[in-house]
Amino acid sequence: MGPDVPLLNDYKQEFFLKRFPQTVLGGPRFKLGYCAPPYIYVNQIILFLTPWVLGGVGTLLYQLGIMKDYYTAALSGGLMFVTALILQMTNLYAKQKTVRVERMQIQNTLTDEDEFEFSSCVGSETVKFIIPGKKYIINTVFHSLLAGVLCGLGTWYLLPNRITLLYSNIGGTVMIFVFGWVTICIGEYSLIINTATETATFQALDTYEITALMRPFYIFVFIAVDLAHRFAVNTAILEQTNQILHIIFLFLPFLWAMGILPPLDALFLWGMEQLLEFGLGGSPMSSNTKLLVMFLISAGTAIASYFIPSTLGVILFMTGFGFILSLNLSEIGFAFKHTMISHLASSKSKNMHRGLRIQFGWREFIFYLTVLTFALIEASLLHQFAGFSSFSKASPQAIASYILIILLIIMWLLREIQRVYLFGVFRNPFYPKDVRTVTVFMEKQRRLMKVGVVRRILLTLVSPFAMIAFLSLDRSLQNLHSVSVCIGFTRIFRMVWQNTENALLDIVVVSIAQMLVFNPDLWWNRSLDTGIRLLLVGILRDRLLQFVSKLQFAIAILLTSWTEKKQRRKSTATLITLNVIFLPILLTFVAISALLSSPLLPLFTLPVFLIGFPRPIRSWPGPVGATACVCSDTVYYQQMVPSLAVALQSALAAGSLGLSLPGSHYLCRFQDRLMWILVLEKGFTYCGVNIKGLELQETSCHAAEAHRVDEIFEMAFEHQEHAKILSPNYHFGHILTPCTVLPVRLYSDARSVLSGIIDSHENLKHLKDDFIKVLVWMLVQYCYKKSKTLESPGNADKSKGGSFPENPHSGAVERSRPLREEDSFSVDTIEDWTDDSDIFDLEPSGRLKDRKEPGQLGTTPKVHLPIPGSVETRSQDVPQEMSPEDKLYRAVVLGLPAVDKGKQQEVLPQVEFSCCYSELLSIPEEWRTAPVPTSKVNEMRQRFPEEWYHFTLSQLDFFHLKEKPSNLLEDLMKDKALKDLYIHGVLSCCFGLFGLDNTVPAPSHVFRAYTGGIPWSVGLDWLTGKPELFQLALKAFRYTFKLMVDKASLGPVENFKELANYLEEYENDWYIGLVSDLEWQQAVLQEKPYLFSLGHDPNMGIYTGRVLTLQELLVQVGKLNDEAVRGQWANLSWELLYATNDDEERYSIQAHPVLLRNLTVQAADPPLGYPIYSSELLHLPLF
């Protein structure tokens, strides 16, 4: 696709132009896709202005001095409530009136809007079109009541006298009164009449009609400030705030239309997350429930600390609860629950929970208890004996500051030295060069691993205790019952454990500021205690990092829109020029989005920047890992994720992935696999992540971006053997910065073309002989394993009915008549007919009865011995319950000649073994009934590999037999009857797979036999009637094909021992089959060491082999620009949920080698993204 692909197709453009004016005005539909009567528009205008009219009545009465202000508000609100109820009742009446008609209508699900046929100004269709109504009766009442309150308070808010008191300007009063009422009318219309689709959409579905409350909520926020100003004591800051908000109130429709103000669900989740992180020192949570619970507990802790009467008690309380709340409480609770169930519940419950991984045991409990004890002792002692001195260059707190500065520098260096690039710019000279194999990497990585261990100790144990020492010595803690102390110190005492690195940086910054600024009269020292200073520094640090990251993202879009030729559109030069001219506005947008911690939204990923609405750090509303576009390739991610999680655990603990915070994104690459990692929560010695797997079937866009990812990683890890020291990162500015490589146990995927092997006449000539050998080995192993359930020949006789079918007639078994050599595929093998059969009798009833009872296939049919010289007759009754398939089968053989039934079957004596133990290896009798001619049996006797058969028997040990003769194996080898059974069993399988001719199979036939797609034949029909034998034959053929490939690649097999080793290896360590098999996926999950599959490319006409090898290999990991991901996801949400631009070839999903636009879209949560795998929250212990 070219760069000038339309941003929206023609249909979506028309749809967007209809939807956006409706969003701006709050719901009125003035632009329809069809012609509507004028009264449709007039009615909407009247309903839109109704709140203004009702509020105007109250305003007029107040201005004339007839009523007081609160009475006018009550009057306007009451009128609006009654009006809203009447409108909702009108809608219900219209629905009931046309309910029968509606049930008869066939809705067209392909249209975005239904076309209404209007009959009159107040007709049913008109009412339903203008007032869609509410889904729930409770919302009908609640929204009507809310509309009345909104209108009443809005009247009070916009009283002209009140506005004049604020501004003392008639012109300003008129402007605020007019446009303020427009804002209220928009809010009322969306609440009562018709809720507009919001550009700020967080949830795909509005199940509980929360969207209608969004605009009234923001109006109530502005009114609440005005009410506070009215009833509170005269406060200058409240008055100034009220004046500013009255002006911003006029721009609320613009903010709603631009999607800057978040919907209510996103607003509350974002607000709790921000308060928990920056106000209470916690971490963002991976689910809404955990976020709410943690917020309430943390807020309760801060409030409780206010009422503690002693400073020592405050110190101990804050230190203890700060440590406890920073732990992984959900996993600790789960472990406790598991322990209680294990002790109290039944054995069934124990077995049910035994496979779960419990990461919290006695070792962790003792460790945490020890750390908590030492922290409490340190805090109490330091505060008691050295906590009353003021800060000076030689005070104890200053000494603790020096230690913290040194710790920060050391930990910062130890973190950077483990990454492949220093600061993302220069290559690290200490990082191993040309990393390709695990052994070489681990050998070169030893020194860096020691560095990681040192950093882990400093981070986990040394730094928190040093910071507690600094905080315990602070004089601000002497101020009891202070809100600022409770908030500030509760936050930092928890942050010391929850986010140690950032807490260390904040304390160092505050310490340096204290050392440089000793003036007690300065605002910094006079008005703020240490806790509030740390809070302000923490917010400033976070917003500054966000600003830099967002600015990098904006610059990357601006530059690549011109430098990347495939991204250069006709409008690119104009857009870049406008961004340069309005650079201050662009910087303001970036600053506001950083201040709100909301994504910077590039519209259609063009250099057109908007401020996205604030949302939780995980960007999506659904539970983590709940949905994914599962396919056959998902299994490869399921297999590798546990090993990848262990490797991530070590890398995060050592710091080789850089500063990982909630909201950090990482990209892992191995061969055709791409893993997207999102850090969701982090605390003391744990980290919660979500791992997603992207599709393996690469499209052109996916392949282009994956190729650029490979280039970046190869430049960083594989092409550095002759690079200069401190060589630059040639991909600096890309959203992906390489970090390190991780050893992960996974499958490597090797594909090869089998030309010269599968089409080699020499290889194909030996294929049948090898198949006979493999099948003999397979049958012997099958019977031997089956015999392990039997302890002796006596037991074998008792259980023969279950294992080996027993003939109910003494001394005789029934066997199908051997085919004549000249009619091997004669219809005589399908059905036999008697001379007395009626020509209209499609099939003898006896045959029907045999076919009707599949459960009897494993038993020997009943023998009917004819009277000599007579012709046997059968009943002509046709059963009523005949299936269509039976009728078709009967119709195929209609009109065949009659056959003398007396010659159909011959009576053979029962197989008599010379060795009494041969029955243990006997082939089931139903496997001996293949309709093959006697000449072919004799021919198979000559081809039968007797020496290989003897060698296979000699490898059996029969350890499961309690008593066995010493010459057991020799007797088995000498038993000719047993050998004849195997000859016939092998011949039956060869007959089913190859037929009875001796020609060399063609490559196409080999491929069909491997896949189980052989064309129908009599032999195959018999073989598939024995499912267990067919699976054995198919498995033996696949082993044979793999043996042919190995012989062609590694050389011929020298002896029987080597051949047996091959087959045992195939049996134990390989799965040989098809990628589409269910067993293939099971083998991957069971971590079979090797898997082999045969494939065919019909376009190129070649056969391919695919080998998966399980081994520990290096996975490359890079850190993504968090804000680039959030910005692209924000645009994706707007584009799909609001503009409904789901075109698979849209511009915003095309390949972008720098922004990785296509991969980023894939990694979004369904239904907007389409990862093929998404893990649940993975808790990684970091100690």
Side-chain angles (χ1 to χ4, degrees):
M1 300 293 292
D4 285 309
V5 61
L7 303 175
L8 288 169
N9 58 38
D10 294 338
Y11 172 72
K12 293 298 181 184
Q13 287 180 18
E14 182 183 355
F15 175 75
F16 177 77
L17 292 176
K18 289 188 295 183
R19 171 171 279 190
F20 188 68
Q22 183 183 353
T23 301
V24 172
L25 295 175
R29 288 181 275 186
F30 294 132
K31 184 176 176 57
L32 306 177
Y34 50 91
C35 184
Y39 54 76
I40 294 296
Y41 305 102
V42 173
N43 288 350
Q44 291 184 88
I45 293 172
I46 293 173
L47 291 174
F48 181 82
L49 296 176
T50 297
W52 198 346
V53 173
L54 299 179
V57 171
T59 302
L60 183 60
L61 293 175
Y62 172 74
Q63 292 297 121
L64 294 176
I66 300 174
M67 299 179 69
K68 293 186 179 295
D69 52 358
Y70 44 86
Y71 287 131
T72 60
L75 175 64
S76 300
L79 292 174
M80 187 66 218
F81 173 63
V82 173
T83 305
L85 276 180
I86 292 173
L87 292 174
Q88 294 300 316
M89 293 304 115
T90 304
N91 172 265
L92 291 175
Y93 175 76
K95 284 183 178 179
Q96 291 178 357
K97 187 176 180 181
T98 58
V99 65
R100 294 181 181 177
V101 180
E102 285 182 359
R103 287 177 184 171
M104 299 297 295
Q105 290 176 352
I106 299 175
Q107 300 292 336
N108 183 3
T109 58
L110 299 180
T111 60
D112 287 299
E113 292 183 347
D114 294 327
E115 186 170 332
F116 288 78
E117 294 182 1
F118 304 106
S119 56
S120 66
C121 180
V122 290
S124 300
E125 292 298 328
T126 304
V127 172
K128 288 192 299 178
F129 173 77
I130 296 176
I131 312 171
K134 306 295 180 182
K135 290 190 290 186
Y136 306 106
I137 297 297
I138 188 172
N139 282 343
T140 300
V141 178
F142 175 65
H143 290 185
S144 299
L145 179 62
L146 202 63
V149 175
L150 179 62
C151 184
L153 293 179
T155 304
W156 208 3
Y157 184 72
L158 294 176
L159 288 175
N161 286 356
R162 177 67 177 170
I163 300 173
T164 305
L165 288 175
L166 283 175
Y167 298 99
S168 302
N169 188 299
I170 299 300
T173 300
V174 173
M175 292 286 291
I176 291 175
F177 179 79
V178 173
F179 290 102
W181 268 109
V182 171
T183 301
I184 291 177
C185 289
I186 290 173
E188 291 279 13
Y189 198 99
S190 65
L191 178 63
I192 284 300
I193 310 300
N194 183 24
T195 304
T197 304
E198 300 289 350
T199 50
T201 304
F202 188 55
Q203 301 273 3
L205 298 174
D206 183 23
T207 308
Y208 302 106
E209 298 178 311
I210 298 175
T211 305
L213 305 176
M214 173 186 163
R215 301 192 183 199
F217 172 80
Y218 286 107
I219 294 174
F220 279 128
V221 170
F222 283 75
I223 294 174
V225 176
D226 182 69
L227 292 176
H229 181 220
R230 284 174 185 266
F231 296 107
V233 182
N234 289 333
T235 309
I237 189 169
L238 259 182
E239 184 175 357
Q240 292 173 2
T241 304
N242 197 13
Q243 289 174 345
I244 295 171
L245 289 182
H246 267 79
I247 297 173
I248 297 177
F249 188 78
L250 310 183
F251 294 93
L252 275 180
F254 173 78
L255 299 178
W256 289 327
M258 291 294 102
I260 297 174
L261 297 178
L264 297 185
D265 47 357
L267 174 67
F268 286 111
L269 292 175
W270 169 82
M272 282 194 296
E273 191 175 86
Q274 294 294 305
L275 287 174
L276 178 62
E277 184 175 3
F278 298 105
L280 300 169
S283 164
M285 292 286 120
S286 59
S287 69
N288 299 340
T289 304
K290 288 176 67 175
L291 178 63
L292 178 61
V293 171
M294 185 57 72
F295 175 77
L296 294 176
I297 295 174
S298 303
T301 303
I303 294 170
S305 65
Y306 180 84
F307 299 99
I308 298 177
S310 69
T311 56
L312 181 61
V314 169
I315 289 284
L316 293 176
F317 183 82
M318 290 180 176
T319 304
F321 270 91
F323 176 80
I324 293 170
L325 293 178
S326 68
L327 300 178
N328 191 0
L329 296 180
S330 60
E331 282 298 294
I332 293 174
F334 176 79
F336 177 76
K337 178 182 176 182
H338 164 73
T339 305
M340 296 301 294
I341 289 176
S342 299
H343 286 293
L344 301 177
S346 63
S347 58
K348 180 180 179 180
S349 298
K350 293 180 184 178
N351 295 334
M352 181 175 63
H353 289 275
R354 191 171 294 167
L356 296 174
R357 178 181 178 183
I358 306 300
Q359 298 177 350
F360 186 84
W362 286 109
R363 182 175 66 91
E364 290 79 6
F365 177 77
I366 294 172
F367 171 74
Y368 289 146
L369 185 61
T370 305
V371 172
L372 176 60
T373 303
F374 278 105
L376 293 174
I377 292 172
E378 179 198 19
S380 59
L381 291 178
L382 287 175
H383 178 74
Q384 190 72 21
F385 298 106
F388 299 97
S389 60
S390 59
F391 187 87
S392 63
K393 291 185 177 180
S395 64
Q397 192 175 21
I399 296 173
S401 302
Y402 301 143
I403 296 173
L404 291 175
I405 293 171
I406 295 171
L407 276 174
L408 177 65
I409 295 172
I410 292 174
M411 288 180 57
W412 180 66
L413 290 175
L414 293 181
R415 185 183 70 203
E416 288 297 323
I417 207 172
Q418 295 182 78
R419 304 175 65 188
V420 67
Y421 285 116
L422 298 174
F423 318 112
V425 181
F426 300 105
R427 196 179 196 284
N428 183 3
F430 301 100
Y431 196 86
K433 294 184 177 181
D434 202 22
V435 178
R436 296 177 186 270
T437 62
V438 175
T439 53
V440 175
F441 172 74
M442 297 305 291
E443 183 68 26
K444 295 181 178 181
Q445 184 77 354
R446 284 183 179 178
R447 289 178 300 174
L448 293 183
M449 290 175 66
K450 295 177 183 177
V451 170
V453 171
V454 173
R455 183 184 177 277
R456 187 185 308 183
I457 294 172
L458 292 176
L459 179 66
T460 306
L461 298 175
V462 179
S463 296
F465 284 100
M467 285 187 282
I468 286 176
F470 174 86
L471 296 172
S472 301
L473 295 169
D474 195 87
R475 290 190 64 186
S476 301
L477 288 169
Q478 303 299 327
N479 301 324
L480 288 175
H481 310 299
S482 169
V483 174
S484 62
V485 169
C486 291
I487 293 175
F489 279 92
T490 301
R491 170 188 175 274
I492 194 61
F493 268 107
R494 178 175 177 182
M495 193 175 173
V496 160
W497 307 100
Q498 188 92 50
N499 193 346
T500 307
E501 291 182 80
N502 282 342
L504 182 60
L505 176 60
D506 294 348
I507 292 177
V508 167
V509 170
V510 170
S511 302
I512 293 174
Q514 280 184 316
M515 292 176 186
L516 297 178
V517 182
F518 283 103
N519 185 1
D521 296 328
L522 195 66
W523 168 80
W524 175 264
N525 289 329
R526 186 184 70 251
S527 303
L528 303 177
D529 58 62
T530 304
I532 298 300
R533 292 174 203 159
L534 289 168
L535 189 149
L536 294 176
V537 168
I539 295 175
L540 183 63
R541 166 190 45 80
D542 180 79
R543 294 327 193 230
L544 186 61
L545 291 176
Q546 283 198 39
F547 178 82
V548 172
S549 185
K550 292 178 197 297
L551 192 60
Q552 289 177 344
F553 174 46
I555 292 173
I557 291 182
L558 279 169
L559 293 180
T560 55
S561 64
W562 183 261
T563 57
E564 295 285 337
K565 291 184 179 180
K566 291 186 177 181
Q567 308 301 324
R568 196 181 300 168
R569 299 172 62 88
K570 295 177 181 178
S571 59
T572 299
T574 305
L575 292 175
I576 292 176
T577 304
L578 290 174
N579 275 279
V580 172
I581 293 173
F582 296 103
L583 182 61
I585 296 178
L586 173 60
L587 293 177
T588 303
F589 278 16
V590 174
I592 293 174
S593 64
L595 189 64
L596 294 174
S597 188
S598 63
L600 182 68
L601 192 155
L603 200 61
F604 299 105
T605 64
L606 291 171
V608 178
F609 300 102
L610 301 175
I611 302 170
F613 66 86
R615 64 199 79 191
I617 201 71
R618 63 182 186 271
S619 294
W620 307 111
V624 175
T627 55
C629 303
V630 179
C631 65
S632 59
D633 292 331
T634 303
V635 69
Y636 302 114
Y637 291 112
Q638 290 175 332
Q639 179 274 325
M640 71 177 293
V641 159
S643 179
L644 177 61
V646 173
L648 280 173
Q649 173 184 330
S650 302
L652 288 168
S656 55
L657 297 183
L659 182 61
S660 58
L661 300 171
S664 297
H665 295 261
Y666 295 92
L667 186 67
C668 302
R669 177 70 168 169
F670 177 78
Q671 290 187 347
D672 57 350
R673 272 153 277 183
L674 281 162
M675 290 71 71
W676 193 285
I677 301 169
L678 170 60
V679 179
L680 292 165
E681 57 184 71
K682 196 172 183 183
F684 183 64
T685 66
Y686 89 96
C687 183
V689 302
N690 167 243
I691 301 177
K692 293 176 182 175
L694 306 189
E695 62 181 0
L696 304 186
Q697 305 296 330
E698 296 185 348
T699 60
S700 58
C701 296
H702 180 103
E705 294 185 357
H707 179 68
R708 178 62 64 89
V709 171
D710 291 336
E711 283 183 2
I712 294 172
F713 282 133
E714 287 173 6
M715 184 69 68
F717 299 114
E718 299 179 9
H719 296 163
Q720 292 293 333
E721 190 65 32
H722 304 289
K724 299 178 181 179
I725 298 177
L726 295 177
S727 58
N729 177 9
Y730 294 102
H731 294 280
F732 179 74
H734 196 280
I735 74 163
L736 177 67
T737 303
C739 291
T740 187
V741 292
L742 303 176
V744 179
R745 184 174 173 82
L746 44 65
Y747 282 100
S748 63
D749 194 347
R751 303 169 193 247
S752 58
V753 177
L754 299 180
S755 300
I757 297 178
I758 193 173
D759 53 1
S760 169
H761 183 75
E762 189 69 21
N763 293 337
L764 295 174
K765 187 170 65 175
H766 296 293
L767 184 67
K768 279 190 177 180
D769 293 336
D770 289 341
F771 174 69
I772 293 172
K773 292 180 180 178
V774 174
L775 189 58
V776 168
W777 182 86
M778 196 78 72
L779 289 173
V780 170
Q781 294 295 323
Y782 171 82
C783 295
Y784 175 68
K785 290 176 181 176
K786 206 169 184 181
S787 73
K788 286 187 176 181
T789 59
L790 310 174
E791 296 182 0
S792 66
N795 292 339
D797 291 337
K798 293 177 184 176
S799 60
K800 194 193 306 182
S803 301
F804 311 115
E806 184 179 7
N807 185 13
H809 299 274
S810 58
V813 295
E814 178 185 63
R815 186 182 175 198
S816 300
R817 179 180 63 85
L819 286 174
R820 298 187 303 275
E821 186 172 355
E822 62 272 12
D823 64 350
S824 59
F825 286 88
S826 169
V827 294
D828 294 343
T829 63
I830 301 176
E831 183 58 82
D832 299 311
W833 292 79
T834 64
D835 292 334
D836 295 337
S837 297
D838 195 296
I839 62 173
F840 298 106
D841 188 5
L842 298 180
E843 184 181 18
S845 60
R847 173 66 176 168
L848 274 176
K849 190 177 297 183
D850 291 340
R851 292 182 59 219
K852 216 174 81 177
E853 301 177 2
Q856 297 179 359
L857 289 176
T859 61
T860 307
K862 186 177 180 181
V863 178
H864 298 276
L865 299 178
I867 301 173
S870 67
V871 177
E872 183 180 1
T873 62
R874 295 192 182 185
S875 171
Q876 299 176 8
D877 296 334
V878 180
Q880 297 297 323
E881 60 272 10
M882 185 188 302
S883 66
E885 292 81 359
D886 290 335
K887 294 178 181 178
L888 177 62
Y889 178 83
R890 289 160 58 92
V892 169
V893 294
L894 178 64
L896 296 179
V899 176
D900 189 353
K901 196 65 178 178
K903 297 180 181 180
Q904 177 192 4
Q905 299 173 346
E906 67 178 299
V907 179
L908 298 177
Q910 186 180 9
V911 177
E912 296 183 359
F913 298 111
S914 61
C915 175
C916 61
Y917 287 88
S918 295
E919 289 187 11
L920 296 176
L921 299 180
S922 175
I923 295 176
E925 290 184 7
E926 64 268 22
W927 293 5
R928 314 171 194 168
T929 59
V932 292
T934 306
S935 59
K936 290 297 179 182
V937 176
N938 296 330
E939 183 181 332
M940 178 56 70
R941 283 198 178 96
Q942 297 176 1
R943 295 181 59 189
F944 188 76
E946 190 168 347
E947 294 182 359
W948 168 249
Y949 169 72
H950 291 161
F951 176 81
T952 304
L953 292 178
S954 68
Q955 301 301 305
L956 305 179
D957 49 39
F958 289 100
F959 287 149
H960 58 283
L961 295 181
K962 295 180 179 179
E963 298 178 1
K964 62 178 179 179
S966 58
N967 58 348
L968 172 60
L969 295 178
E970 295 180 4
D971 294 344
L972 289 175
M973 295 178 193
K974 294 177 182 178
D975 195 333
K976 293 184 178 180
L978 181 63
K979 186 181 76 171
D980 285 345
L981 289 182
Y982 278 92
I983 290 173
H984 200 89
V986 170
L987 178 61
S988 301
C989 294
C990 290
F991 175 46
L993 294 181
F994 298 106
L996 294 177
D997 51 355
N998 294 322
T999 58
V1000 177
S1004 59
H1005 185 85
V1006 172
F1007 177 73
R1008 287 182 175 183
Y1010 185 95
T1011 59
I1014 309 172
W1016 184 90
S1017 66
V1018 175
L1020 181 64
D1021 186 57
W1022 176 87
L1023 186 59
T1024 52
K1026 316 291 183 294
E1028 198 170 5
L1029 179 60
F1030 176 72
Q1031 291 301 322
L1032 277 176
L1034 183 61
K1035 186 177 180 180
F1037 184 83
R1038 290 174 173 178
Y1039 282 15
T1040 305
F1041 181 83
K1042 182 65 173 68
L1043 181 64
M1044 180 183 77
V1045 174
D1046 288 346
K1047 287 165 62 178
S1049 306
L1050 305 176
V1053 177
E1054 300 292 338
N1055 49 49
F1056 288 157
K1057 183 65 176 175
E1058 186 178 353
L1059 177 58
N1061 290 338
Y1062 267 116
L1063 297 179
E1064 288 174 4
E1065 183 184 353
Y1066 294 161
E1067 185 72 19
N1068 298 325
D1069 298 338
W1070 285 78
Y1071 175 77
I1072 302 172
L1074 296 174
V1075 176
S1076 57
D1077 292 343
L1078 178 62
E1079 292 81 2
W1080 177 281
Q1081 298 185 17
Q1082 293 173 349
V1084 171
L1085 293 177
Q1086 294 167 3
E1087 295 195 337
K1088 275 276 188 181
Y1090 307 97
L1091 292 90
F1092 175 82
S1093 174
L1094 175 64
H1096 180 241
D1097 187 347
N1099 297 324
M1100 301 182 66
I1102 58 174
Y1103 296 94
T1104 57
R1106 182 181 182 185
V1107 177
L1108 298 185
T1109 306
L1110 183 65
Q1111 53 189 324
E1112 194 171 48
L1113 296 167
L1114 296 177
V1115 173
Q1116 299 155 332
V1117 186
K1119 194 174 192 301
L1120 294 160
N1121 184 323
D1122 308 334
E1123 295 304 323
V1125 175
R1126 293 184 68 202
Q1128 293 183 74
W1129 280 356
N1131 171 72
L1132 175 68
S1133 178
W1134 177 88
E1135 197 172 346
L1136 266 67
L1137 296 181
Y1138 182 76
T1140 65
N1141 187 24
D1142 55 353
D1143 188 355
E1144 293 182 355
E1145 299 298 331
R1146 63 185 184 273
Y1147 173 77
S1148 61
I1149 204 175
Q1150 300 299 312
H1152 196 303
V1154 176
L1155 297 181
L1156 302 182
R1157 188 165 53 195
N1158 186 269
L1159 298 180
T1160 306
V1161 169
Q1162 286 186 50
D1165 279 8
L1168 305 186
Y1170 45 97
I1172 64 172
Y1173 171 78
S1174 182
S1175 72
E1176 295 181 350
L1177 179 67
L1178 301 176
H1179 299 274
L1180 307 181
L1182 302 182
F1183 63 91

